Amino acid sequence: MERHSFVFVGIDLHKKEHVAVVCNSYEEQLKKLKVKNSPNQFGEFIKKIEDIAEGKKIIFGLEDVDFYGRSLAKYLIEQGFIVKVVNSSYTKRERSIGTNRNKTDEQDAYNICAVLIRKYTQLPLANPQDIFLAIKQVLNARNYYSKTIASIKNGLHSLLVHNYPTYTEFFPDLKGKVARGFFKKFPSPDLLPQEEEDLHTALKQIYKSVSNDKARQVLDSVQTSGWIPNDYQEANNKAILSYLTSLDELYKEKGKLELELEELIEQTGYPIRTMPGIDTILAATFIANIGDIHRFTSSKQLAKLAGVAPYEHSSGQSKRNYSNKLGNRTLHSAFYTLALIHVQKKYNPIMYNYYQSKQHSGKKKKQALTYVMRRLVNIVFRMMRDKTAYKPPAPLEEEAS
C-alpha cells in the first residue's frame, strides 16, 4: 500500500451531525467537514471529500458502525470505499498521550484519522449487516431482563427472610416454578397447611412431579427457624406477590428472547455452539461483537479487537509483555469466560496441559490464562471463517511439529 496516494478521513459520529477530518498520509490535517446524519446528505459530503482528495483514493475510519454511524458506513461501502472500524480505546489513548488534552469533536475526528493511518493494517473492515445488529439488540434486551431479574430477586429476598428466615434451605433459587408458586400460595408461614400431606397436595398443584420430601423439608425448616408476624403482614405479603408476578413475566420474556437468539445464530451459519462451553448467550455475545468474520484478515486482528494480544515493553536487556486493555471489553470477557472452562482437565485435557505448561515455564496464572485465550481466539476464528464444527486442539507436540 503506497500511503502517499491515499487521503484518510476520520469521522466522529453523533446522533444528528457527524464531524470529519481529512488528512494526508503524514497526518497533516487538510480539511474539517460536517455532515448531517441523513442519507440524503451523504452524496454531497462525498463530493466535497473527493474535491479535497484531488484524485487520490479515500479511506474512511469510523468508531461505531452499528449505532450512529451505521447508515453512513453502509452508504460508503455501497459506494465502493474502504471503511475501517477504529476502536474507541485507541482514540481515547491518542488523546491522553498527546499534548492537546482538549475534548472537541474536531480533535476526536483527527485522533480517529491518526489511528487509521498508523494502524491501518491492524484495523478490521467495517461490514455492518442487519443480522448482527439484530443479534446485538436481542442480546442487549435479554441481558437487561437478566439484570432486572437479579434486582427483583434481591428485593424479594429482603422480604422473604422476615417470613422464612431459612427459606434457601428448601428453595435455594427462585428461578424454579415450584419455588415461585409456593411463595405465591404461602407468602407467610401462617398460611401454610399444618399437615405434611396437605402441603404436598398443594405443591402438586404447582408441579405434579414434586416429591413428598419437599413438603417435609419445608415444614421442618419453618418449625426450626420459627416466625414472628408483624402488624402489617398483609401489606408485606402483597409486596411479595407483586415481586413474584413481575418475575414470572420477566422469565417468560427472557425465555422468548433466548429462543429468538437461537434462531438468529442458526441463520448466521456460525457453528460456534459446537464448542464445549459456548451456550446460546456466549455464542450470541461472540457473534454480536465480532460480526462478519471476513472483515478480519487473520486471527491476529480478532485478538487485537478482543484485547487478547499482549503488547511488549522492552528496554535494554529487559523485556516484558503486558496485557492489552484497549480491546473490546465485552469480547475480552467472553474469551476469558471460555478460557476458564477450557483450562479444566475434565472439559479439555489438551488445553489444561497447555495452561499448566505455561505456568511451569514461569508464567503467572493470569498470564498463562491469556495464552489460553489467545489460542481460543484462533479456534473461534477458524470455526467462524470456515463454518466448521469444533475440533479439539492438537497436543502440544503435534502443534510444534
Side-chain angles (χ1 to χ4, degrees), residues 59-112:
I59 298 175
F60 292 87
L62 285 73
E63 275 190 343
D64 186 357
V65 298
D66 287 322
F67 200 48
Y68 291 144
R70 183 175 179 79
S71 297
L72 179 57
K74 292 184 75 172
Y75 179 86
L76 293 172
I77 293 169
E78 288 171 0
Q79 299 302 311
F81 292 104
I82 297 174
V83 182
K84 290 275 191 169
V85 180
V86 179
N87 192 310
S88 59
S89 298
Y90 288 135
T91 54
K92 183 178 179 181
R93 185 185 184 195
E94 187 74 18
R95 185 169 62 249
S96 66
I97 63 177
T99 56
N100 185 357
R101 299 298 178 91
N102 293 329
K103 175 71 170 69
T104 65
D105 295 339
E106 182 179 350
Q107 185 62 41
D108 284 345
Y110 175 79
N111 289 338
I112 292 169

Side-chain angles (χ1 to χ4, degrees), residues 24-251:
N24 60 23
S25 58
Y26 299 103
E27 300 181 26
E28 295 172 338
Q29 181 171 327
L30 304 178
K31 194 75 174 178
K32 182 192 83 170
L33 299 171
K34 290 186 178 181
V35 57
K36 290 183 179 179
N37 188 15
S38 172
N40 292 335
Q41 304 293 319
F42 295 161
E44 185 63 28
F45 172 64
I46 296 302
K47 287 181 182 178
K48 290 179 180 179
I49 294 178
E50 287 176 337
D51 289 342
I52 298 167
E54 297 179 341
K56 292 183 178 181
K57 296 180 181 179
I58 306 167
I59 298 175
F60 292 87
L62 285 73
E63 275 190 343
D64 186 357
V65 298
D66 287 322
F67 200 48
Y68 291 144
R70 183 175 179 79
S71 297
L72 179 57
K74 292 184 75 172
Y75 179 86
L76 293 172
I77 293 169
E78 288 171 0
Q79 299 302 311
F81 292 104
I82 297 174
V83 182
K84 290 275 191 169
V85 180
V86 179
N87 192 310
S88 59
S89 298
Y90 288 135
T91 54
K92 183 178 179 181
R93 185 185 184 195
E94 187 74 18
R95 185 169 62 249
S96 66
I97 63 177
T99 56
N100 185 357
R101 299 298 178 91
N102 293 329
K103 175 71 170 69
T104 65
D105 295 339
E106 182 179 350
Q107 185 62 41
D108 284 345
Y110 175 79
N111 289 338
I112 292 169
C113 197
V115 172
L116 174 65
I117 295 168
R118 295 176 200 169
K119 296 183 177 293
Y120 174 79
T121 58
Q122 302 174 25
L123 300 175
L125 289 167
N127 189 12
Q129 296 183 26
D130 293 339
I131 189 168
F132 302 126
L133 178 63
I135 291 174
K136 193 168 190 176
Q137 290 175 330
V138 174
L139 179 64
N140 287 342
R142 181 265 173 196
N143 290 343
Y144 171 77
Y145 280 125
S146 291
K147 290 179 182 178
T148 306
I149 286 170
S151 177
I152 289 177
K153 285 169 73 174
N154 288 336
L156 183 57
H157 172 75
S158 66
L159 294 174
L160 289 177
V161 292
H162 293 292
N163 294 350
Y164 295 94
T166 56
Y167 81 90
T168 55
E169 291 181 357
F170 49 89
F171 290 124
D173 194 347
L174 296 171
K175 184 178 181 180
K177 183 179 178 181
V178 178
R180 297 202 304 276
F182 170 83
F183 289 118
K184 277 185 176 180
K185 278 180 172 289
F186 314 112
S188 57
D190 59 315
L191 302 175
L192 276 173
Q194 297 302 309
E195 298 297 327
E196 183 181 309
E197 185 178 347
D198 294 335
L199 179 57
H200 185 230
T201 301
L203 291 175
K204 287 180 71 175
Q205 293 175 357
I206 303 169
Y207 186 68
K208 291 182 180 180
S209 301
V210 68
S211 67
N212 191 53
D213 293 340
K214 181 60 70 176
R216 188 183 311 114
Q217 187 182 13
V218 170
L219 293 175
D220 288 347
S221 180
V222 170
Q223 185 177 6
T224 301
S225 62
W227 176 65
I228 300 177
N230 64 55
D231 293 337
Y232 297 93
Q233 189 60 50
E234 186 177 352
N236 182 280
N237 290 351
K238 286 181 179 179
I240 290 173
L241 290 173
S242 177
Y243 272 131
L244 290 168
T245 301
S246 297
L247 275 181
D248 285 343
E249 289 300 316
L250 288 168
Y251 274 121

